[in-house]
Amino acid sequence: MATYEAAFLTQKCNLPTRTIKFEIWDTAGQERFASLAPMYYRNAQAALVVYDLTKPTSLIKAKHWVAELQRQASPGIVIALVGNKLDLCSDAGADAGDDEDGSGDSGDARKVPTEESKAYAEEEGLLFFETSAKTGHNVSDVFTAIANAIPETSLKSARGPGAASGAAGRNEEQRVNLGGPRNADSKEGCAC
Amino acid sequence: MESLSDTLWDVVICGTGLQQSLLALSLSRSGKKILHIDPKEYYGGPDAALSLEEAQRWQAEHASASATASSIFNSATILQSPEPANLPSRSYSLALSTQIIHTRSALLSQLVSSRAYRQIEFLSVGSFYVFKPSSDAQIPPTLSRIPSTREDVFSTTAIPARAKRSLMKFLKFVLDYDSESNAEVWRSHADEPLTTFLASQFSLDNELQAYVLALTMSLDQNVVTRDGLAVINRHLTSMGVFGPGFAAVYPKWGGLSEVAQVACRAGAVGGGIYILGTGIEKVVDQAEVDEPVEVVLSSGTTVKTTWLVLGTEDQPEAGAEQISRLVAVVTSPLASLFEVSVEAAPAPAVAVIAYPPGSVITKDGIASEQPVYVYAHSSDTGECPIGQSVLYFTTRTCPLAKALLEAALESLLTALESPQCLYQLYYQQSHGSTSIQSKGTLVHLPAPSLNLAFDDSTLESIHEAWKMVMDGKREDIDEEYMVFADREGEILAIKSKARVCTTHFISIPSDAA
Ligand SMILES: Nc1nc2c(ncn2[C@@H]2O[C@H](COP(=O)(O)OP(=O)(O)OP(=O)(O)O)[C@@H](O)[C@H]2O)c(=O)[nH]1
Ligand SMILES: [Mg+2]
C-alpha cells in the first residue's frame, strides 16, 4: 500500500530544555522513481531514511538516498537511518520479544543484521535506530534523537541555501499570508 | 504495485510545467490513475528554476539559434560564468520564465481553495522604478520610484505639484475605468497607443507617461489604450489585497517552478506516479476510437491510457513573437531596491525596474526602441546566496536584443554603486500555441505566455482539460474544480502511531521553540 493519505503532519517533541515542533513531509512515493523535487531537500533540517529489516534490497535503496541527501541537501542536515518492522524480527526489542516466546527461528523474518547497518551508519555519521511502526517501538526515540542532534542555532534560522549564515527572523515578517496561519495550532498531531 | 505497463492509466501527463502540474493538482482527489512524466530530470519544464549545473546543461540543449527547433527556447549562451568550483551550484535557483502574480489572480484563489498554498512561501513584490539615464557621463544614471497609490503621489517630492494633479486624476480614472462615464472617455481611443491617450486626455508629460507605461508591464512601447488600462487597473486594484504596499506576490525558491513542484506533490499524495527523466518516444495510433491510447515511453516501456495530456513547449510557432532574456547574478544585496515604502508592509523580495524606450544605448551607440524590464530578486527569494541578487532582464527580441540587455545590465550596475556581476545567461523564448487543442483523448495544453505577470487566461485551458478528463457534462461539476478540504485533518485522525515511511523530510518552522 502506498502512502497517499499522509502528506504532511506535525509533531511536538518535548526535550528537557525545549519543545520542538516537527513539520514532517512524506515523499508521497515520489522517491520510487527517484523523482523527488528540490522542495524536499532545501526545506529539510533532518531526514528520515527508512528501510525494511526484512528486505535487504531496501537497505541498498536507503543507502542510495543517504548518498543523494549528502549530495543535494544543505550541509548541516541530520540524517537518521531507520530499520523498520522490528516486530517481525525475533530478536526484536522489548515489545515484540515480550509477547512471543515460542516463535523461534520460524518467526524471524530479519534479513538485515543490526551490526551491518549500524557500522554503515557510524561510517556515514547517521543516527541509527530499529523501530516498529506497528507497535510504536522506538519511534519516539527517533524523533527525540533527531531533536537533540539539530543544533540549537539552526532552529530559528531561515531554511534553504545560506540558512546557516542566518537570515534569521526575517522570514516571518516577509511571508505574505494568503489565508490564515500556515498551520493552525489546533491541527497539531502529537505522537511523541 | 502493478507495473507501469500492466496498469490501464486514466491519464498520462507529459511535462511538469506549471500547466501540466496544475492539471495534476486539479485531478489529485479524483481517484483517477495518473502517470505523470517529464523528459527532463527536473520539475517545472519551461517554468523551471535551475541550479547552475542544471542551467549549464540546459544552455547546451538550447544553444541552437533557430526558433523553429524543438523547443520554445533558443539561442541560449552563458555570457559569463566563474570557475564552477567557486559557486555552489545548488545555492542558485534561476527561474526560466519569471512571472509575478497579481494578488487578485485566480491562480492564488485556486491555490488557496485546493489547499496547495500552505506549502508555498509567498513574498511581496515591492517598488516599481523607472530607469533614468544621465546625460552627463560623470553622473551615474538613477532610478526613480513610481508612486502607484494616491498616498504615494501625495507624499512624493519627485513630481511637481501640477503634474501631481494630472497623475492623480489619471489614477482615479483607471480605478473606475469601466464605468459608463469613464468608458466614454477612452472607448474611442481604445486602439490608439496608450501614450497618445495619456498626452491628449490627461496632459501627462513624457516623464509621467513613462511612469504609467511602466505599470503596464508591456514589452510593446505601443501598447494600446484598451490593454494598457486593463493592466493598470489590475495593478491598482491588487494593491493591499493581502497587506499594505504590494500588488503582486512571488513564490519563494523560483516562482512558478515552486508552484509546479507543490502541485506535483499534491498529485503524488493523491496517488499519482511520478517519473522524471522519461519522455514519450511514440504515441501508437489507436485502432479504435474507444480503445486506450498506447504510449511508448523513452525508457522503452509501453503504457496504456485513456487520456494523454501533453504540453507544447517543444513546438514553437514559426515566425511568432519572441522575447529575449538575460539572467544575471550580482554580488550585492542591492538593499536600496528592497526598502519598505509603506508602513507595515512586508519586506519586499522583488523590485521591478522599467527602462523606457531610448534609455538603453548599446556599446555601438544604438538606442533601444522598446522597453526593457528588470526583475530584481533579493536573496530572500532563495534563488541566490545571501549577499547576492539575481536580475532578470526581458525585452522583445530584435537583432540588437542581446547587446541592449547587456548594456541595460551595465547601466543598472552603474546606477547601483557598481556591484560585480558573477554570472550571465542569455536566451530567447518564443510563443507556442496559445490555446488548448484536443483530438479524441489526446490533449495539448498551450505553451506558457510571454507576459511579465502571470496571465489568468493560462488557467482556462487547465480547467478545460480537467473537464474533458472528468467527463464534465454534469451541470454543477465546475463547483468542484480545485476545491479541496485540508488533508492534514484527515491524517491526524490516524494519530495512534507515528507512521514510519520510506523517506521523510523534516523541517522545523521558525516559531519552533
Ligand atoms: N509488521 C509491520 N508492518 C509494517 C510496519 N510498518 C509498516 N508496515 C506495513 O508495511 C506496508 C507499507 O507501509 P507504508 O508506510 O505504506 O510504506 P512506505 O514506504 O511509506 O510506502 P510508499 O509510500 O508507497 O513508498 C503497509 O502494509 C504497512 O502496514 C511495521 O513496523 N511492522
Ligand atoms: Mg509512504
Side-chain angles (χ1 to χ4, degrees), chain A residues 12-162:
Chain A
K12 264 190 182 164
C13 201
N14 292 308
L15 298 183
T17 55
R18 55 192 169 146
T19 299
I20 285 184
K21 190 173 118 197
F22 288 113
E23 281 179 10
I24 306 171
W25 294 49
D26 189 283
T27 50
Q30 282 179 311
E31 80 286 350
R32 199 168 299 142
F33 293 98
S35 301
L36 284 189
M39 61 182 284
Y40 291 107
Y41 295 107
R42 55 159 181 254
N43 278 349
Q45 278 168 308
L48 233 83
V49 182
V50 184
Y51 66 96
D52 185 339
L53 287 168
T54 68
K55 281 203 194 106
T57 51
S58 71
L59 178 62
I60 295 171
K61 280 194 195 147
K63 286 182 179 175
H64 159 84
W65 281 110
V66 169
E68 198 61 14
L69 281 164
Q70 289 168 335
R71 197 171 67 84
Q72 306 235 46
S74 52
I77 191 167
V78 173
I79 305 175
L81 180 70
V82 177
N84 188 38
K85 303 199 184 176
L86 190 60
D87 56 287
L88 301 178
C89 308
S90 68
D91 58 343
D95 309 36
D98 285 350
D99 52 36
E100 46 178 3
D101 31 13
S103 61
D105 281 352
S106 59
D108 188 2
R110 179 190 284 274
K111 293 277 165 48
V112 183
T114 309
E115 294 69 36
E116 184 189 332
S117 319
K118 202 171 180 181
Y120 164 74
E122 262 165 33
E123 227 167 82
E124 298 293 334
L126 320 174
L127 299 172
F128 174 67
F129 286 90
E130 294 191 332
T131 62
S132 166
K134 191 172 169 188
T135 66
H137 180 73
N138 255 353
V139 171
S140 61
D141 307 62
V142 177
F143 287 96
T144 312
I146 289 176
N148 279 316
I150 294 174
E152 191 125 19
T153 47
S154 71
L155 277 186
K156 281 189 173 167
S157 78
R159 309 161 201 170

Side-chain angles (χ1 to χ4, degrees), chain B residues 10-270:
Chain B
D10 291 310
V11 192
V12 169
I13 305 176
C14 184
T16 56
L18 182 75
Q19 309 195 44
Q20 292 100 313
S21 303
L22 287 176
L23 178 65
L25 167 64
S26 73
L27 291 167
S28 64
R29 312 279 179 110
S30 65
K32 295 210 179 285
K33 282 194 172 165
I34 295 169
L35 174 63
H36 197 167
I37 59 176
D38 195 312
K40 306 284 192 209
E41 291 290 348
Y42 48 81
Y43 283 92
D47 303 297
L50 305 177
S51 70
L52 295 186
E53 261 175 51
E54 286 166 336
Q56 194 169 3
R57 256 173 281 144
W58 183 89
Q59 180 272 324
E61 288 167 24
H62 299 91
S64 137
S66 158
T68 52
S70 60
S71 168
I72 53 170
F73 296 106
N74 64 78
S75 310
T77 341
I78 293 176
L79 301 176
Q80 184 192 1
S81 178
E83 288 297 304
N86 296 344
L87 290 185
S89 162
R90 284 256 149 224
S91 307
Y92 296 86
S93 303
L94 306 179
L96 286 177
S97 313
T98 11
Q99 288 185 327
I100 59 171
I101 309 167
H102 278 99
T103 54
R104 284 197 187 279
S105 167
L107 174 60
L108 296 185
S109 44
Q110 290 183 8
L111 289 174
V112 170
S113 68
S114 67
R115 295 295 184 265
Y117 77 105
R118 289 181 192 282
Q119 291 156 23
I120 304 171
E121 287 179 50
F122 291 95
L123 304 169
S124 67
V125 176
S127 298
F128 281 55
Y129 299 88
V130 170
F131 175 86
K132 287 196 172 158
S134 151
S135 45
D136 179 345
Q138 300 305 308
I139 304 169
T142 52
L143 301 178
S144 71
R145 202 174 70 81
I146 303 175
S148 60
T149 63
R150 280 194 268 172
E151 296 73 27
D152 236 4
V153 178
F154 264 128
S155 58
T156 185
T157 50
I159 306 174
R162 247 189 79 182
K164 266 190 192 184
R165 276 195 297 277
S166 317
L167 183 59
M168 202 76 98
K169 195 173 144 215
F170 173 72
L171 292 179
K172 197 170 158 225
F173 165 82
V174 187
L175 271 173
D176 198 21
Y177 84 115
D178 244 353
S179 74
E180 195 97 3
S181 58
N182 283 353
E184 229 164 81
V185 178
W186 64 267
R187 282 263 162 77
S188 53
H189 305 274
D191 297 312
E192 276 174 18
L194 179 65
T195 44
T196 315
F197 173 74
L198 294 175
S200 69
Q201 299 299 311
F202 290 90
S203 338
L204 298 191
D205 61 19
N206 282 346
E207 187 163 335
L208 292 185
Q209 283 179 32
Y211 283 167
V212 171
L213 210 60
L215 295 180
T216 65
M217 314 263 293
S218 172
L219 293 168
D220 179 3
Q221 145 77 355
N222 292 319
V223 57
V224 297
T225 303
R226 175 192 293 109
D227 299 346
L229 291 181
V231 178
I232 300 171
N233 174 271
R234 178 180 65 179
H235 181 85
L236 296 181
T237 55
S238 293
M239 264 302 172
V241 171
F242 291 118
F246 63 96
V249 294
Y250 185 77
K252 189 171 178 172
W253 310 112
L256 296 178
S257 149
E258 189 70 0
V259 178
Q261 286 179 41
V262 165
C264 286
R265 183 175 137 78
V269 171

Side-chain angles (χ1 to χ4, degrees), chain B residues 219 323-325 371-374 392-396 405 452:
Chain B
L219 293 168
I323 57 173
S324 292
R325 298 184 185 269
V372 173
Y373 281 85
V374 187
Y392 294 93
F393 291 78
T394 313
T395 195
R396 271 197 173 180
L405 294 185
L452 293 177

